[in-house]
Amino acid sequence: MKVQEHEPLSAHTTLRLGGTARYFVSVTSIEELREALTFAQEHAAPLCVLGGGSNVLFSDAGWTGLVVQIALQGTEYIEDSKGDARVTVAAGRMWDELVAETVSQGLWGMENLSGIPGTVGATPVQNVGAYGVEVADIIDWVEVLDLTTHALHILSLSECAFGYRDSVFKHSEGKKYIVTRVAFRLSTHPKPIVSYRDLAAFFADRTEVGVQEVRDAVLSIRAAKFPDLAVVGTAGSFFKNPIISKRQYDAIAHTFGAVPSYPVDAQRVKIPLAWVLEACGWKGKRIGHMGCWDAQPLVLVHYGEGTATELILFADQIRHDVAARARIDIEPEVRIVG
Ligand SMILES: Cc1cc2nc3c(=O)[nH]c(=O)nc-3n(C[C@H](O)[C@H](O)[C@H](O)COP(=O)(O)OP(=O)(O)OC[C@H]3O[C@@H](n4cnc5c(N)ncnc54)[C@H](O)[C@@H]3O)c2cc1C
């Protein structure tokens, strides 16, 4: 295990912002992970777990403790008698590489989640989702290492307490866990989910489509919406789509017109924040080194040479504007650290 000191965190995050980590280590085995935890205890260094850095914003002060980057590797396929497959994957594998591999084998389940950056281990943390599918829909179990005992445990789907961009791992009872492996249930039987607006339009309401076709469609829709990570820094959608009461919805619709909405339960709906941001004039707006992407205003971008503080201030301006004009409290989807 090689511990680096004063490592720039901008090099490990897709926003390319943030200060340095006092200590930084990339672990490729469970033994190395346990060693890293012991190192943190011995140095009284607070721990921060990192995957691909595509959903975190480190402050300019950086991290005063140890950043552990999970780089565990390994994938195992098990077929059941009906021809379906369970795939068990180590947390450090890049998510989209796994999606490409399962799709190329004709396995259904991950195709709508194509093109999401980051690692497998981070997918249950925020229950990643896109185009009508959440990773919770295909997870069988999650293996975790308990920070207090250093022992491995298997968590069932219900123990993961998945919600919209939410799971036990984001709450106090789950913060003691590091995800080490995830098991997914995939199917050889065609199960296209193409009713989500953009996909339905892409296939012109055709429902008999192949799994590779769905992946290709998702990738092409995403390419038109998201910026190229090689050109600008971003962590994707910076805020969550708000879930609001039907009364609140009526008030917003009264001010802004027919805002699209998706039912959550009998009392609440989810609305696309991008729509509200566009109505408030944020789409394509740039202030200094930060901006709202013109093809998808929910995506905040760093054009280079900026600071984390600037991005936090830019996001605050948006939050206050939406609170004042639409009376909605919006929450970041990105984890702000330090
Ligand atoms: C261009 C772009 C598009 C995106 N599109 C989507 C999208 O469509 N849908 C969506 O849901 N998200 C999307 N995201 C957000 C992001 O890609 C996902 O949240 C992804 O799962 C983060 O993975 P990561 O490995 O980069 O996690 P990181 O950013 O490294 O970490 C994210 C959080 O998870 C924790 N974490 C990471 N690994 C582990 C682990 N092994 N155990 C415990 N905790 C861990 C970290 O401590 C941190 O709190 C997008 C991001 C970008 C940049």
Side-chain angles (χ1 to χ4, degrees):
M1 183 187 78
K2 185 168 177 285
V3 179
Q4 282 147 292
E5 296 194 42
H6 308 293
E7 176 69 7
L9 290 161
S10 54
H12 299 283
T13 61
T14 56
L15 271 167
R16 300 200 280 272
L17 290 169
T20 57
R22 175 67 186 87
Y23 302 109
F24 183 95
V25 66
S26 184
V27 295
T28 55
S29 68
I30 297 292
E31 293 68 41
E32 277 189 351
L33 176 54
R34 288 191 175 120
E35 244 184 277
L37 300 182
T38 307
F39 176 95
Q41 274 162 359
E42 285 170 359
H43 291 75
L47 197 73
C48 175
V49 179
L50 188 67
S54 63
N55 207 30
V56 283
L57 166 59
F58 282 104
S59 74
D60 294 319
W63 186 253
T64 53
L66 174 69
V67 172
V68 180
Q69 187 181 54
I70 306 299
L72 307 167
Q73 297 298 324
T75 306
E76 198 189 346
Y77 286 86
I78 304 167
E79 270 190 41
D80 77 11
S81 53
K82 297 185 199 108
D84 287 345
R86 188 169 73 196
V87 55
T88 309
V89 193
R93 183 158 190 203
M94 294 316 285
W95 169 255
D96 195 50
E97 195 192 284
L98 173 70
V99 178
E101 184 177 285
T102 60
V103 165
S104 72
Q105 296 181 40
L107 292 170
W108 289 82
M110 295 181 173
E111 60 284 355
N112 290 46
L113 302 176
S114 291
I116 299 179
T119 57
V120 167
T123 60
V125 175
Q126 85 140 358
N127 185 17
V128 296
Y131 304 102
V133 174
E134 290 180 335
V135 78
D137 301 335
I138 50 166
I139 286 181
D140 203 0
W141 46 257
V142 175
E143 183 193 74
V144 292
L145 187 136
D146 186 323
L147 288 173
T148 47
T149 60
H150 294 194
L152 293 171
H153 299 286
I154 299 286
L155 300 187
S156 67
L157 202 57
S158 67
E159 286 171 309
C160 292
F162 289 120
Y164 168 59
R165 299 295 176 274
D166 198 19
S167 72
V168 70
F169 307 108
K170 286 192 165 183
H171 298 273
S172 53
E173 62 276 26
K175 292 232 165 108
K176 64 175 180 181
Y177 296 131
I178 295 181
V179 175
T180 51
R181 274 195 309 163
V182 186
F184 302 93
R185 286 171 287 100
L186 302 177
S187 180
T188 52
H189 310 291
K191 290 184 177 165
I193 299 173
V194 290
S195 52
Y196 206 79
R197 208 170 30 154
D198 293 349
L199 274 177
F202 188 96
F203 288 117
D205 292 321
R206 188 159 66 89
T207 48
E208 288 208 3
V209 292
V211 65
Q212 185 67 53
E213 269 185 290
V214 178
R215 173 170 165 81
D216 293 344
V218 169
L219 289 177
S220 98
I221 294 166
R222 292 182 71 98
K225 255 191 193 158
F226 288 98
D228 182 350
L229 281 175
V231 180
V232 292
T234 181
S237 300
F238 195 89
F239 299 104
K240 290 184 187 181
N241 283 315
I243 295 176
I244 57 174
S245 70
K246 287 191 171 160
R247 249 222 333 239
Q248 256 181 312
Y249 176 82
D250 290 341
I252 291 168
H254 183 73
T255 315
F256 292 100
V259 187
S261 70
Y262 303 94
V264 171
D265 52 36
Q267 279 82 40
R268 298 176 309 156
V269 292
K270 185 162 81 175
I271 59 166
L273 182 60
W275 203 98
V276 178
L277 293 180
E278 185 173 351
C280 292
W282 284 99
K283 188 174 176 175
K285 189 162 180 166
R286 178 173 175 169
I287 300 179
H289 304 103
M290 306 299 159
C292 277
W293 192 240
D294 50 9
Q296 168 50 287
L298 202 49
V299 172
L300 303 196
V301 292
H302 164 219
Y303 288 99
E305 311 291 318
T307 64
T309 308
E310 259 184 88
L311 181 56
I312 291 166
L313 289 175
F314 183 68
D316 273 352
Q317 268 181 279
I318 298 173
R319 216 150 48 85
H320 289 136
D321 191 41
V322 171
R325 296 218 247 165
R327 307 243 167 268
I328 321 172
D329 284 329
I330 54 172
E331 285 177 57
E333 181 175 311
V334 169
R335 181 178 165 206
I336 301 170
V337 186

